[in-house]
mmCIF file of all heavy atoms in Angstrom:
data_model
loop_
_atom_site.group_PDB
_atom_site.id
_atom_site.type_symbol
_atom_site.label_atom_id
_atom_site.label_comp_id
_atom_site.label_asym_id
_atom_site.label_seq_id
_atom_site.Cartn_x
_atom_site.Cartn_y
_atom_site.Cartn_z
ATOM 1 N N THR A 8 -120.692 -19.037 -104.088
ATOM 2 C CA THR A 8 -120.671 -20.033 -103.028
ATOM 3 C C THR A 8 -120.221 -19.369 -101.733
ATOM 4 O O THR A 8 -119.636 -18.289 -101.742
ATOM 5 C CB THR A 8 -119.673 -21.170 -103.357
ATOM 6 O OG1 THR A 8 -118.363 -20.630 -103.353
ATOM 7 C CG2 THR A 8 -119.989 -21.832 -104.683
ATOM 8 N N ASP A 29 -110.002 -20.202 -105.717
ATOM 9 C CA ASP A 29 -111.350 -20.597 -106.134
ATOM 10 C C ASP A 29 -111.325 -21.399 -107.431
ATOM 11 O O ASP A 29 -112.096 -22.342 -107.605
ATOM 12 C CB ASP A 29 -112.251 -19.370 -106.275
ATOM 13 C CG ASP A 29 -112.573 -18.732 -104.928
ATOM 14 O OD1 ASP A 29 -112.474 -19.429 -103.895
ATOM 15 O OD2 ASP A 29 -112.914 -17.538 -104.909
ATOM 16 N N ALA A 30 -110.416 -21.050 -108.343
ATOM 17 C CA ALA A 30 -110.295 -21.791 -109.607
ATOM 18 C C ALA A 30 -109.809 -23.220 -109.344
ATOM 19 O O ALA A 30 -110.322 -24.175 -109.947
ATOM 20 C CB ALA A 30 -109.347 -21.067 -110.555
ATOM 21 N N ILE A 31 -108.838 -23.366 -108.455
ATOM 22 C CA ILE A 31 -108.340 -24.705 -108.098
ATOM 23 C C ILE A 31 -109.472 -25.537 -107.521
ATOM 24 O O ILE A 31 -109.654 -26.701 -107.872
ATOM 25 C CB ILE A 31 -107.165 -24.605 -107.100
ATOM 26 C CG1 ILE A 31 -105.935 -24.001 -107.772
ATOM 27 C CG2 ILE A 31 -106.838 -25.974 -106.493
ATOM 28 C CD1 ILE A 31 -104.832 -23.576 -106.808
ATOM 29 N N ILE A 32 -110.242 -24.930 -106.631
ATOM 30 C CA ILE A 32 -111.356 -25.639 -106.001
ATOM 31 C C ILE A 32 -112.381 -26.056 -107.052
ATOM 32 O O ILE A 32 -112.801 -27.214 -107.105
ATOM 33 C CB ILE A 32 -112.007 -24.765 -104.904
ATOM 34 C CG1 ILE A 32 -111.042 -24.576 -103.733
ATOM 35 C CG2 ILE A 32 -113.323 -25.390 -104.430
ATOM 36 C CD1 ILE A 32 -111.468 -23.508 -102.733
ATOM 37 N N SER A 33 -112.792 -25.125 -107.906
ATOM 38 C CA SER A 33 -113.848 -25.460 -108.864
ATOM 39 C C SER A 33 -113.380 -26.469 -109.910
ATOM 40 O O SER A 33 -114.174 -27.280 -110.371
ATOM 41 C CB SER A 33 -114.454 -24.226 -109.509
ATOM 42 O OG SER A 33 -113.532 -23.372 -110.043
ATOM 43 N N GLN A 34 -112.090 -26.485 -110.255
ATOM 44 C CA GLN A 34 -111.573 -27.485 -111.200
ATOM 45 C C GLN A 34 -111.611 -28.892 -110.606
ATOM 46 O O GLN A 34 -111.605 -29.871 -111.345
ATOM 47 C CB GLN A 34 -110.130 -27.158 -111.589
ATOM 48 C CG GLN A 34 -109.991 -25.950 -112.474
ATOM 49 C CD GLN A 34 -108.537 -25.496 -112.587
ATOM 50 O OE1 GLN A 34 -107.634 -26.083 -112.007
ATOM 51 N NE2 GLN A 34 -108.325 -24.419 -113.338
ATOM 52 N N ASN A 35 -111.626 -28.985 -109.289
ATOM 53 C CA ASN A 35 -111.579 -30.287 -108.620
ATOM 54 C C ASN A 35 -112.874 -30.677 -107.922
ATOM 55 O O ASN A 35 -112.953 -31.769 -107.362
ATOM 56 C CB ASN A 35 -110.423 -30.286 -107.610
ATOM 57 C CG ASN A 35 -109.090 -30.281 -108.298
ATOM 58 O OD1 ASN A 35 -108.625 -31.311 -108.752
ATOM 59 N ND2 ASN A 35 -108.476 -29.110 -108.418
ATOM 60 N N ARG A 36 -113.861 -29.799 -107.934
ATOM 61 C CA ARG A 36 -115.132 -30.065 -107.261
ATOM 62 C C ARG A 36 -115.766 -31.334 -107.835
ATOM 63 O O ARG A 36 -115.845 -31.505 -109.032
ATOM 64 C CB ARG A 36 -116.072 -28.875 -107.443
ATOM 65 C CG ARG A 36 -117.321 -28.962 -106.602
ATOM 66 C CD ARG A 36 -118.163 -27.700 -106.714
ATOM 67 N NE ARG A 36 -117.498 -26.590 -106.037
ATOM 68 C CZ ARG A 36 -117.181 -25.438 -106.620
ATOM 69 N NH1 ARG A 36 -117.475 -25.230 -107.873
ATOM 70 N NH2 ARG A 36 -116.579 -24.495 -105.938
ATOM 71 N N GLY A 37 -116.162 -32.224 -106.957
ATOM 72 C CA GLY A 37 -116.839 -33.450 -107.376
ATOM 73 C C GLY A 37 -115.902 -34.591 -107.754
ATOM 74 O O GLY A 37 -116.358 -35.693 -108.014
ATOM 75 N N ARG A 38 -114.611 -34.343 -107.788
ATOM 76 C CA ARG A 38 -113.648 -35.401 -108.118
ATOM 77 C C ARG A 38 -113.291 -36.183 -106.863
ATOM 78 O O ARG A 38 -112.857 -35.595 -105.872
ATOM 79 C CB ARG A 38 -112.376 -34.803 -108.716
ATOM 80 C CG ARG A 38 -112.563 -34.325 -110.136
ATOM 81 C CD ARG A 38 -111.283 -33.872 -110.795
ATOM 82 N NE ARG A 38 -110.121 -34.658 -110.412
ATOM 83 C CZ ARG A 38 -108.878 -34.186 -110.421
ATOM 84 N NH1 ARG A 38 -108.639 -32.938 -110.766
ATOM 85 N NH2 ARG A 38 -107.873 -34.951 -110.077
ATOM 86 N N PRO A 39 -113.444 -37.503 -106.904
ATOM 87 C CA PRO A 39 -113.055 -38.307 -105.740
ATOM 88 C C PRO A 39 -111.553 -38.163 -105.473
ATOM 89 O O PRO A 39 -110.750 -38.114 -106.398
ATOM 90 C CB PRO A 39 -113.387 -39.744 -106.159
ATOM 91 C CG PRO A 39 -114.284 -39.628 -107.340
ATOM 92 C CD PRO A 39 -113.998 -38.299 -107.984
ATOM 93 N N GLY A 40 -111.192 -38.063 -104.213
ATOM 94 C CA GLY A 40 -109.785 -37.973 -103.835
ATOM 95 C C GLY A 40 -109.124 -36.646 -104.166
ATOM 96 O O GLY A 40 -107.899 -36.555 -104.213
ATOM 97 N N ALA A 41 -109.907 -35.611 -104.361
ATOM 98 C CA ALA A 41 -109.355 -34.316 -104.779
ATOM 99 C C ALA A 41 -108.767 -33.505 -103.630
ATOM 100 O O ALA A 41 -108.009 -32.567 -103.878
ATOM 101 C CB ALA A 41 -110.431 -33.497 -105.478
ATOM 102 N N LEU A 42 -109.088 -33.842 -102.401
ATOM 103 C CA LEU A 42 -108.709 -32.985 -101.281
ATOM 104 C C LEU A 42 -107.199 -32.758 -101.187
ATOM 105 O O LEU A 42 -106.752 -31.607 -101.116
ATOM 106 C CB LEU A 42 -109.246 -33.528 -99.959
ATOM 107 C CG LEU A 42 -108.878 -32.721 -98.714
ATOM 108 C CD1 LEU A 42 -109.333 -31.269 -98.848
ATOM 109 C CD2 LEU A 42 -109.451 -33.362 -97.467
ATOM 110 N N ILE A 43 -106.411 -33.800 -101.169
ATOM 111 C CA ILE A 43 -104.959 -33.620 -101.002
ATOM 112 C C ILE A 43 -104.357 -32.841 -102.178
ATOM 113 O O ILE A 43 -103.582 -31.906 -101.946
ATOM 114 C CB ILE A 43 -104.249 -34.962 -100.745
ATOM 115 C CG1 ILE A 43 -104.646 -35.470 -99.352
ATOM 116 C CG2 ILE A 43 -102.731 -34.830 -100.857
ATOM 117 C CD1 ILE A 43 -104.106 -36.831 -98.990
ATOM 118 N N PRO A 44 -104.695 -33.164 -103.434
ATOM 119 C CA PRO A 44 -104.161 -32.344 -104.526
ATOM 120 C C PRO A 44 -104.592 -30.874 -104.435
ATOM 121 O O PRO A 44 -103.793 -29.978 -104.733
ATOM 122 C CB PRO A 44 -104.722 -33.005 -105.792
ATOM 123 C CG PRO A 44 -105.011 -34.409 -105.396
ATOM 124 C CD PRO A 44 -105.400 -34.347 -103.954
ATOM 125 N N VAL A 45 -105.818 -30.610 -104.007
ATOM 126 C CA VAL A 45 -106.272 -29.224 -103.855
ATOM 127 C C VAL A 45 -105.469 -28.536 -102.761
ATOM 128 O O VAL A 45 -104.992 -27.412 -102.939
ATOM 129 C CB VAL A 45 -107.789 -29.154 -103.561
ATOM 130 C CG1 VAL A 45 -108.193 -27.767 -103.082
ATOM 131 C CG2 VAL A 45 -108.586 -29.550 -104.796
ATOM 132 N N ARG A 63 -112.563 -22.329 -96.677
ATOM 133 C CA ARG A 63 -112.910 -22.023 -98.069
ATOM 134 C C ARG A 63 -112.861 -23.296 -98.917
ATOM 135 O O ARG A 63 -113.736 -23.547 -99.746
ATOM 136 C CB ARG A 63 -111.935 -20.973 -98.595
ATOM 137 C CG ARG A 63 -112.310 -20.328 -99.889
ATOM 138 C CD ARG A 63 -111.248 -19.270 -100.248
ATOM 139 N NE ARG A 63 -111.690 -18.393 -101.288
ATOM 140 C CZ ARG A 63 -112.175 -17.170 -101.111
ATOM 141 N NH1 ARG A 63 -112.280 -16.669 -99.907
ATOM 142 N NH2 ARG A 63 -112.549 -16.443 -102.136
ATOM 143 N N ILE A 64 -111.832 -24.111 -98.713
ATOM 144 C CA ILE A 64 -111.683 -25.376 -99.438
ATOM 145 C C ILE A 64 -112.790 -26.348 -99.050
ATOM 146 O O ILE A 64 -113.400 -26.989 -99.918
ATOM 147 C CB ILE A 64 -110.277 -25.977 -99.196
ATOM 148 C CG1 ILE A 64 -109.215 -25.100 -99.864
ATOM 149 C CG2 ILE A 64 -110.200 -27.417 -99.680
ATOM 150 C CD1 ILE A 64 -107.787 -25.382 -99.422
ATOM 151 N N ALA A 65 -113.051 -26.458 -97.750
ATOM 152 C CA ALA A 65 -114.111 -27.366 -97.290
ATOM 153 C C ALA A 65 -115.455 -26.997 -97.913
ATOM 154 O O ALA A 65 -116.159 -27.860 -98.448
ATOM 155 C CB ALA A 65 -114.199 -27.330 -95.761
ATOM 156 N N THR A 66 -115.793 -25.730 -97.874
ATOM 157 C CA THR A 66 -117.059 -25.279 -98.441
ATOM 158 C C THR A 66 -117.087 -25.515 -99.946
ATOM 159 O O THR A 66 -118.065 -26.031 -100.483
ATOM 160 C CB THR A 66 -117.283 -23.779 -98.137
ATOM 161 O OG1 THR A 66 -117.250 -23.597 -96.717
ATOM 162 C CG2 THR A 66 -118.604 -23.298 -98.687
ATOM 163 N N GLY A 67 -115.997 -25.161 -100.616
ATOM 164 C CA GLY A 67 -115.938 -25.297 -102.070
ATOM 165 C C GLY A 67 -115.995 -26.735 -102.549
ATOM 166 O O GLY A 67 -116.529 -27.015 -103.624
ATOM 167 N N LEU A 68 -115.437 -27.664 -101.780
ATOM 168 C CA LEU A 68 -115.451 -29.078 -102.156
ATOM 169 C C LEU A 68 -116.609 -29.832 -101.508
ATOM 170 O O LEU A 68 -116.710 -31.057 -101.653
ATOM 171 C CB LEU A 68 -114.122 -29.751 -101.776
ATOM 172 C CG LEU A 68 -112.873 -29.270 -102.518
ATOM 173 C CD1 LEU A 68 -111.635 -30.003 -102.004
ATOM 174 C CD2 LEU A 68 -113.021 -29.445 -104.025
ATOM 175 N N ASN A 69 -117.450 -29.105 -100.773
ATOM 176 C CA ASN A 69 -118.603 -29.694 -100.089
ATOM 177 C C ASN A 69 -118.163 -30.795 -99.114
ATOM 178 O O ASN A 69 -118.714 -31.884 -99.094
ATOM 179 C CB ASN A 69 -119.628 -30.225 -101.100
ATOM 180 C CG ASN A 69 -120.979 -30.443 -100.458
ATOM 181 O OD1 ASN A 69 -121.325 -29.792 -99.478
ATOM 182 N ND2 ASN A 69 -121.743 -31.379 -100.998
ATOM 183 N N LEU A 70 -117.141 -30.472 -98.325
ATOM 184 C CA LEU A 70 -116.627 -31.386 -97.313
ATOM 185 C C LEU A 70 -116.793 -30.750 -95.943
ATOM 186 O O LEU A 70 -116.895 -29.534 -95.821
ATOM 187 C CB LEU A 70 -115.134 -31.655 -97.549
ATOM 188 C CG LEU A 70 -114.738 -32.316 -98.856
ATOM 189 C CD1 LEU A 70 -113.216 -32.312 -99.005
ATOM 190 C CD2 LEU A 70 -115.271 -33.728 -98.923
ATOM 191 N N GLU A 74 -112.814 -32.615 -91.822
ATOM 192 C CA GLU A 74 -112.098 -33.502 -92.737
ATOM 193 C C GLU A 74 -110.883 -32.790 -93.325
ATOM 194 O O GLU A 74 -109.786 -33.347 -93.384
ATOM 195 C CB GLU A 74 -113.030 -33.965 -93.856
ATOM 196 C CG GLU A 74 -112.415 -34.991 -94.765
ATOM 197 C CD GLU A 74 -113.389 -35.528 -95.809
ATOM 198 O OE1 GLU A 74 -114.592 -35.230 -95.750
ATOM 199 O OE2 GLU A 74 -112.909 -36.254 -96.699
#
Side-chain angles (χ1 to χ4, degrees):
T8 66
D29 290 338
I31 291 167
I32 292 168
S33 51
Q34 289 168 0
N35 290 280
R36 189 175 289 123
R38 286 186 36 207
L42 179 56
I43 291 176
V45 167
R63 193 178 194 100
I64 292 166
T66 302
L68 294 178
N69 197 27
L70 298 172
E74 186 175 352

